[in-house]
Amino acid sequence: MRFSLKEHRLLRLNRLNASREIAPVTLPNCRLIKGIEAGSEDIDILPNGLAFISSGLKYPVLKNPELDKPGEIFLMDLNEDNPKAVELRISRGFDLASFVPHGISTYIDKDDTVYLFVVNHPHQKSTVELFKFVEDDNALVHVKTIRHDLLTSVNDVVAVGPDSFYATNDHYFFDHILMFLEMLLGLTWSNVVYYSPKEVKEVASGFYSANGINISPDRKYIYVADIFDHNIHVMEKHANWSLTHVKTVQLDTMVDNLSIDPHTGDVWLGCHPDGMKLVYNDPENPPGSEVLRIQNILSEEPVVTCVYSDNGSVLQGTSVASVYEGKLLIGTVFHRALYCEL
């Protein structure tokens, strides 16, 4: 099937949900988090209420106002009455100057060691950095850098072991011109890769742009957001780490990252209502924010609720939403972060 240039442009606008308007949905007890100014692209919360926040993403096709600032990882203790974001120190020997954190995931080992996996884009490449969290020192000790030919354009990871994970490649290409052409032509070359020191393999493919990835509380299912196809894929995880497709939940928004409520299994989504505004990042017409919650995602009739939406006057370019004990953190690609009490 061949498309004209006009049809290609319409397809691109559809993928980006261009010109979609949203009604505001406010929450009564919210405040912007002091100290986070250059984004909060992904958030992962430990069972004890410690929240890790990645900040400082620089992405080829997006206009980031903080291009010269190295990336950071923040920590918030959500058990505190008035939690604050604290920048974590990173051990010597790690190249902080080229640190560009993207998706993150935590893993608690059998001896209670906490590992933090961080997608990194040093010099416009893709690596996964493995850190050990030292709570008493508010520090991250760098363990190793993971590179592989199958980890080409990594967006997000979900840890399944102390040195193993699933990763999404959001594009086949990492060069920004080729990435743009990939989207313009509607190529479904994005995929999911399983990585361990002993085995690395593609486990799912055929996505327009696989973005956020997470795992169900019972560790049986993997959830993958396809940001350009406006949906979530539910995949069953098998003993050999392969994945099989179970169902697709179609939505009317661009889904970025996924977070899972460990108690209810609800899936919380950070979404972009209009991706074109995100790309241009015009201060006079800023990108909006949208947070969705999906209840009973494995049932025949999942319940989708819009919990928060804003036209960009408060929060711009939401990428993630994570909950802990009635508290909600909302992160963004390159703007601020919001703390709410539900």
Side-chain angles (χ1 to χ4, degrees):
M1 182 180 294
R2 293 185 177 182
F3 296 99
S4 66
L5 288 175
K6 181 179 180 181
E7 287 170 324
H8 274 306
R9 182 174 181 273
L10 290 173
L11 283 170
R12 172 171 155 245
L13 293 175
N14 180 55
R15 295 282 174 223
L16 291 173
N17 256 15
S19 302
R20 176 173 173 252
E21 300 292 335
I22 55 171
V25 177
T26 59
L27 293 169
N29 302 304
C30 294
R31 62 173 173 83
L32 291 169
I33 300 170
K34 186 177 180 180
I36 298 180
E37 307 286 343
S40 42
E41 204 279 339
D42 204 6
I43 299 169
D44 201 10
I45 305 175
L46 293 175
N48 65 2
L50 294 180
F52 295 87
I53 304 169
S54 69
S55 180
L57 176 64
K58 305 170 187 66
Y59 211 60
V61 296
L62 301 179
K63 295 179 180 179
N64 189 329
E66 300 281 350
L67 284 177
D68 296 328
K69 187 177 180 181
E72 302 164 290
I73 302 293
F74 289 94
L75 185 75
M76 289 185 72
D77 186 348
L78 298 181
N79 298 293
E80 296 177 354
D81 292 334
N82 186 28
K84 297 177 175 60
V86 177
E87 182 184 354
L88 292 176
R89 292 188 302 106
I90 296 179
S91 60
R92 292 180 180 178
F94 180 73
D95 184 8
L96 278 174
S98 65
F99 188 39
V100 185
H102 201 163
I104 61 175
S105 180
T106 56
Y107 184 83
I108 304 175
D109 209 353
K110 294 176 182 178
D111 62 359
D112 292 329
T113 300
V114 175
Y115 292 100
L116 179 68
F117 295 72
V118 181
V119 176
N120 186 21
H121 299 300
H123 312 294
Q124 297 192 359
K125 304 294 183 182
S126 279
T127 65
V128 176
E129 309 294 345
L130 179 58
F131 296 95
K132 182 169 70 173
F133 173 54
V134 183
E135 184 175 353
D136 292 342
D137 298 334
N138 268 352
L140 294 172
V141 176
H142 188 240
V143 177
K144 62 179 176 179
T145 296
I146 297 169
R147 299 181 180 88
H148 194 274
D149 289 344
L150 290 182
L151 300 173
T152 53
S153 181
V154 184
N155 184 296
D156 196 17
V157 292
V158 59
V160 292
D163 53 6
S164 59
F165 54 86
Y166 291 100
T168 56
N169 286 308
D170 54 15
H171 291 82
Y172 182 82
F173 303 105
F174 197 74
D175 177 86
H176 67 279
I177 296 175
L178 294 176
M179 285 170 61
F180 179 79
L181 287 174
E182 189 178 339
M183 182 185 71
L184 185 67
L185 297 173
L187 303 178
T188 55
W189 290 358
S190 169
N191 66 1
V192 177
V193 171
Y194 168 74
Y195 176 93
S196 76
K198 295 182 179 180
E199 181 182 27
V200 185
K201 60 182 180 180
E202 181 184 80
V203 290
S205 60
F207 302 96
Y208 284 100
S209 183
N211 201 292
I213 187 169
N214 220 313
I215 193 168
S216 62
D218 61 9
R219 317 292 287 184
K220 292 181 179 179
Y221 298 94
I222 296 293
Y223 306 132
V224 181
D226 189 333
I227 191 169
F228 289 153
D229 212 19
H230 312 158
N231 56 31
I232 296 172
H233 295 256
V234 179
M235 322 283 287
E236 185 177 0
K237 179 172 69 70
H238 300 287
N240 65 353
W241 304 105
S242 64
L243 302 177
T244 54
H245 185 265
V246 175
K247 64 183 295 186
T248 301
V249 179
Q250 196 64 42
L251 300 163
D252 186 30
T253 190
M254 297 180 69
V255 185
D256 201 320
N257 287 316
L258 318 164
S259 295
I260 312 300
D261 186 324
H263 302 296
T264 64
D266 293 352
V267 183
W268 289 74
L269 315 173
C271 306
H272 305 290
D274 184 339
M276 191 65 77
K277 289 184 179 180
L278 183 73
V279 171
Y280 285 110
N281 193 25
D282 180 359
E284 300 300 319
N285 188 24
S289 290
E290 190 172 28
V291 173
L292 302 183
R293 179 181 64 185
I294 302 180
Q295 297 167 286
N296 305 317
I297 191 169
L298 296 172
S299 70
E300 292 186 5
E301 295 185 5
V303 178
V304 181
T305 306
C306 181
V307 177
Y308 176 84
S309 64
D310 177 71
N311 64 3
S313 60
V314 177
L315 204 64
Q316 301 171 12
T318 285
S319 56
V320 64
S322 298
V323 292
Y324 173 79
E325 303 292 344
K327 298 174 181 179
L328 172 66
L329 292 178
I330 306 175
T332 65
V333 179
F334 44 62
H335 190 232
R336 305 286 301 278
L338 200 66
Y339 167 81
C340 302
E341 295 180 357
L342 299 174

